[in-house]
Amino acid sequence: MANLRIDDAMTKSSSAYALETESLFNDFSTGNRSIWGQQASEDREFRLGKQWSDEDRKILEERSQAALVINRVHPAVELAKSILTANKPTFRVTAAEDSDSKTASAINGFIQYIWNISNGDRQLSRAIDDFYVTGLGALLVYIDPFADGGRGEVMFRSIDPMHIYIDPNSQDEFCSDASDIIISRTYTKGQLKRIYPAYQSAIDTSSGNPFSSQLSSNNSGDNLIVFAGSEVSATHDGDYVRGYERYTKVWIEMIRVYEQWSKAEYTLTIDKFEEYLQRPVWIINQSISTEEVLARQAVERLTKEYEALLQQYEQALSMAEQNPEYAQAMQENQMQPPQPPQIQQLTMGDLLEMQQIKVVKVPMQRIYMGVVVGDKKLYGRLLNCSEYPIITMMNMHTGSPYPLSDVRMIKDMQRYINKIRSLIVAHASTSTNVKIMVPRGTDVEALKKQWSEPGAIIELDFTEGTPIPVAPLPMPNELYQNEITAKSDIDHQLGLFDSMMGNSAAAPDTYRGIMMLDEFGQRRIKVKQAVIEQGVQALGKVIIDFIQEFYIAEKQIRILQPNNSLSEYAVNKRLYDDYGQTVGTLNDVSVGKYDVLVISGSTLPSNRFAQLEFYRE
């Protein structure tokens, strides 16, 4: 199958590819994406305390009331994050075929290693924060070529959802049906030179529209809130340029290989298939072996067995020459000399000609990444993965790339709490000051002066009217209860309950009751946790694809487990014979197919006392 899409992307000139990328960015960033971005920015600022609009604040100031913010949203989001990230996710890698089972454990350790060097707990926490506040959390798998002393590492990090622009026609919550995904933000040219030191000349000559995609809300507040990329200095416009990382799904021709003797199946690129055909293979007594170490051991064992049988046969012939009866018995039993072992050293290409290997050409999808700065394409490369390395976790998926957030659902309740508290404070301020109605024409200033003196005797002419003290009406108790109810509604929307916050007033009287309530209380938040787990599982699958592409040299990794035990894994470890020749590779992660699972509930908090009691019983 001709791969027109990838060939077109690779052969386009730098300026043509950059122009196409900018055009796609303009299409993706307008319309519904612009509206969603505005709302997401408002939700972020709302979470951080900018919860009164300019109009409402002005009205309150005219009434001499304070625009108080009783922020219930921020602590609720923080608590939800702490529950969902109480523990590290537990991965389980299994081999899709029996031939890969011995490497699956090393792959599992590799994923944990990458989680540790990427500071995975912090990256996941940031993504979950965006998940709750903007509705979209995202993680990006990438290769850092400067890590590990210049040897490079596969890593991942969280991405600001305001920098992600997805094909608006995508309907999948992981965006697997999107034609393109673009990560774009503004940089200074100095930043870009440090990120891409090999392309300094292209960066210097690049130009384009560096406008910021970070939008601000109409809400007001006393605190300054600045997000990354929220402004571009007008005095340094020439130093700013917009950068794009464009990910595109393309079709390429792959070759599926099936080995009839081992039942193993591989999907290889054309280059990898050519290398595969050159691999040595041994046929020993019609048994095929691809491991040189095992083949040599088998040859040595069979040779010794043959020599032993040959020696026995020669001894039998010698006895037959001396004993006619023994010779007759050998003839009756049709005793034949032993056959030497049949050993052939061939290549996989020879087995292909012998029809021991079946080959089928299949079109498969891969991800093509192009990096553009302004109007210049820096580079592009084909990634060894069929799914986007951008893992999106959508809170309330609407069948579009513009999900809703929990903060957007609770904004009205939060505003209601702020208005109730503002009324309560205004009423308390009014109640602490006595207000008196006096007849018109009274010397008010003299009355104020006399009123402030201790033990003052004030003469009044009651023929002109009696002063009337005015006191505000008491606030109804229902108003205070409404604030408590509104706070409970916010917690319920986020799947939180008072017992999770350590509220002893809402806790049962018994120890077992507290543990059961804590366990049952997590059922609501498990709806969110299921989405997060699916995203982490997709992350693991993409990491495996990157591992198989990038790690081709021998590598030793060590992982400190929670119980302080040290686990050590060796991948791509070369095996040598007595003469220093390579005879095989231990835990070759570049081949094979693996499935990754995340243990359900592994990130949720566990009750230590319940665990202790379980172990005791």
Side-chain angles (χ1 to χ4, degrees):
M1 176 179 176
N3 186 4
L4 299 179
R5 184 75 178 277
I6 182 66
D7 291 342
D8 184 58
M10 294 181 67
T11 56
K12 274 187 177 179
S13 65
S14 171
S15 57
Y17 185 87
L19 185 63
E20 182 183 69
T21 301
E22 184 178 3
S23 176
L24 273 178
F25 170 76
N26 293 332
D27 292 340
F28 290 0
S29 61
T30 55
N32 291 331
R33 173 58 174 80
S34 177
I35 298 172
W36 179 86
Q38 177 70 45
Q39 292 176 340
S41 295
E42 291 178 358
D43 293 343
R44 277 184 164 179
E45 295 181 350
F46 190 91
R47 176 267 186 95
L48 295 176
K50 295 184 71 172
Q51 299 175 358
W52 290 97
S53 66
D54 292 335
E55 183 180 355
D56 289 341
R57 184 179 287 270
K58 183 177 180 181
I59 292 173
L60 289 175
E61 289 175 353
E62 291 175 352
R63 296 176 181 174
S64 299
Q65 295 181 8
L68 295 177
V69 174
I70 312 301
N71 197 339
R72 186 73 172 186
V73 177
H74 177 70
V77 170
E78 292 296 311
L79 178 59
K81 283 167 52 182
S82 68
I83 292 175
L84 288 172
T85 58
N87 296 301
K88 292 183 180 180
T90 303
F91 295 94
R92 287 291 180 268
V93 176
T94 57
E97 303 161 358
D98 294 340
S99 59
D100 308 324
S101 58
K102 58 186 178 182
T103 313
S105 177
I107 292 283
N108 188 80
F110 225 135
I111 293 179
Q112 295 181 41
Y113 168 75
I114 290 171
W115 184 275
N116 292 337
I117 64 174
S118 302
N119 197 7
D121 294 344
R122 183 58 182 158
Q123 304 301 334
L124 181 61
S125 179
R126 290 176 178 173
I128 291 176
D129 189 280
D130 293 329
F131 173 84
Y132 271 102
V133 178
T134 68
L136 176 63
L139 298 169
L140 171 67
V141 183
Y142 67 101
I143 293 174
D144 184 351
F146 306 108
D148 193 20
R151 287 182 287 270
E153 294 280 13
V154 174
M155 302 179 73
F156 72 93
R157 61 181 173 86
S158 62
I159 319 174
D160 189 338
M162 302 302 296
H163 298 159
I164 302 175
Y165 300 85
I166 305 169
D167 177 7
N169 295 313
S170 173
Q171 298 182 5
D172 182 72
E173 59 183 321
F174 293 111
C175 302
S176 61
D177 58 345
S179 63
D180 295 86
I181 298 179
I182 298 174
I183 300 176
S184 179
R185 52 165 288 214
T186 54
Y187 298 86
T188 64
K189 290 185 177 180
Q191 282 180 303
L192 289 169
K193 289 177 184 179
R194 287 189 290 271
I195 298 173
Y196 307 109
Y199 303 95
Q200 295 195 23
S201 60
I203 294 171
D204 280 331
T205 58
S206 64
S207 62
N209 184 6
F211 76 89
S212 173
S213 58
Q214 186 71 40
L215 306 174
S216 60
S217 70
N218 296 322
N219 295 340
S220 63
D222 297 329
N223 298 325
L224 175 64
I225 301 175
V226 178
F227 296 106
S230 59
E231 60 182 12
V232 174
S233 174
T235 60
H236 296 85
D237 275 347
D239 293 335
Y240 281 87
V241 67
R242 177 163 286 278
Y244 310 88
E245 285 185 22
R246 176 182 166 191
Y247 297 86
T248 307
K249 278 200 171 182
V250 295
W251 289 96
I252 64 171
E253 187 177 80
M254 303 285 286
I255 298 179
R256 183 174 295 162
V257 177
Y258 177 72
E259 299 175 350
Q260 295 193 20
W261 69 92
S262 65
K263 310 301 182 185
E265 187 174 343
Y266 309 103
T267 303
L268 307 173
T269 63
I270 295 178
D271 294 339
K272 291 288 184 181
F273 180 67
E274 294 297 332
E275 295 177 5
Y276 172 83
L277 294 179
Q278 301 303 319
R279 291 182 186 176
V281 65
W282 290 263
I283 301 180
I284 305 171
N285 291 342
Q286 299 183 349
S287 177
I288 299 175
S289 176
T290 58
E291 294 289 342
E292 185 170 351
V293 174
L294 299 178
R296 288 189 176 186
Q297 291 174 351
V299 169
E300 184 178 354
R301 175 177 52 82
L302 291 173
T303 302
K304 289 181 178 179
E305 291 178 357
Y306 167 72
E307 291 175 351
L309 291 174
L310 183 61
Q311 185 178 4
Q312 292 177 5
Y313 181 74
E314 291 174 350
Q315 290 176 354
L317 289 178
S318 177
M319 292 176 62
E321 292 176 357
Q322 300 175 5
N323 189 342
E325 294 181 357
Y326 190 81
Q328 185 177 359
M330 287 182 59
Q331 187 176 3
E332 290 176 354
N333 294 326
Q334 297 181 354
M335 190 173 181
Q336 299 294 329
Q339 298 296 322
Q342 298 178 1
I343 302 171
Q344 285 182 288
Q345 182 175 346
L346 306 172
T347 64
M348 288 293 186
D350 296 328
L351 294 184
L352 179 62
E353 294 179 359
M354 297 166 60
Q355 298 184 352
Q356 290 293 324
I357 298 176
K358 292 185 177 180
V359 173
V360 179
K361 293 183 178 180
V362 292
M364 297 192 70
Q365 284 190 323
R366 286 294 182 266
I367 305 299
Y368 179 74
M369 181 187 75
V371 176
V372 175
V373 171
D375 58 349
K376 297 288 192 304
K377 177 185 177 183
L378 300 188
Y379 69 90
R381 71 185 189 92
L382 194 66
L383 305 181
N384 183 44
C385 55
S386 58
E387 297 297 336
Y388 286 109
I390 304 167
I391 290 86
T392 56
M393 296 174 285
M394 298 192 180
N395 193 338
M396 301 180 193
H397 188 230
T398 60
S400 71
Y402 316 117
L404 300 177
S405 68
D406 284 298
V407 170
R408 201 168 303 173
M409 297 292 103
I410 60 180
K411 287 169 77 172
D412 290 341
M413 282 291 103
Q414 178 62 58
R415 291 191 182 104
Y416 180 56
I417 292 172
N418 292 340
K419 290 180 179 179
I420 290 178
R421 186 61 66 90
S422 181
L423 287 174
I424 292 174
V425 172
H427 181 270
S429 177
T430 303
S431 300
T432 56
N433 296 280
V434 179
K435 294 177 176 57
I436 300 176
M437 300 175 65
V438 296
R440 183 173 293 144
T442 303
D443 189 351
V444 177
E445 295 300 325
L447 184 61
K448 284 183 179 180
K449 184 178 181 181
Q450 293 175 359
W451 187 273
S452 61
E453 295 176 359
I457 299 175
I458 302 173
E459 295 182 0
L460 295 175
D461 185 1
F462 289 102
T463 60
E464 296 180 1
T466 305
I468 303 174
V470 179
L473 295 175
M475 298 286 283
N477 292 331
E478 187 65 24
L479 189 64
Y480 299 94
Q481 184 60 40
N482 286 348
E483 181 181 350
I484 297 174
T485 302
K487 291 179 178 179
S488 178
D489 290 340
I490 289 177
D491 296 337
H492 188 267
Q493 171 66 32
L494 270 70
L496 308 172
F497 300 96
D498 288 342
S499 60
M500 294 181 178
M501 305 181 194
N503 187 353
S504 59
D509 297 331
T510 63
Y511 157 73
R512 290 182 179 273
I514 293 176
M515 291 193 300
M516 292 181 65
L517 192 63
D518 181 66
E519 180 181 354
F520 293 153
Q522 293 181 10
R523 292 184 176 181
R524 174 68 176 83
I525 207 169
K526 280 185 178 179
V527 176
K528 309 292 186 183
Q529 185 241 357
V531 178
I532 302 299
E533 278 185 356
Q534 291 172 7
V536 175
Q537 183 172 329
L539 173 73
K541 291 179 179 179
V542 175
I543 286 177
I544 289 177
D545 290 336
F546 272 67
I547 286 174
Q548 294 185 311
E549 175 194 22
F550 185 71
Y551 293 104
I552 56 176
E554 183 176 340
K555 190 176 183 68
Q556 196 89 7
I557 60 176
R558 295 174 178 86
I559 301 171
L560 184 65
Q561 303 295 348
N563 60 359
N564 292 326
S565 64
L566 193 66
S567 298
E568 187 171 308
Y569 301 92
V571 296
N572 300 327
K573 185 177 179 60
R574 303 296 188 261
L575 302 176
Y576 301 92
D577 59 12
D578 296 337
Y579 302 98
Q581 299 295 322
T582 303
V583 295
T585 303
L586 178 66
N587 290 333
D588 186 358
V589 298
S590 63
V591 297
K593 187 175 181 181
Y594 307 91
D595 298 322
V596 61
L597 297 174
V598 176
I599 304 302
S600 179
S602 59
T603 62
L604 294 181
S606 56
N607 192 304
R608 293 173 295 173
F609 302 104
Q611 284 183 335
L612 178 61
E613 184 173 342
F614 172 78
Y615 292 141
R616 284 176 176 174
E617 292 179 354

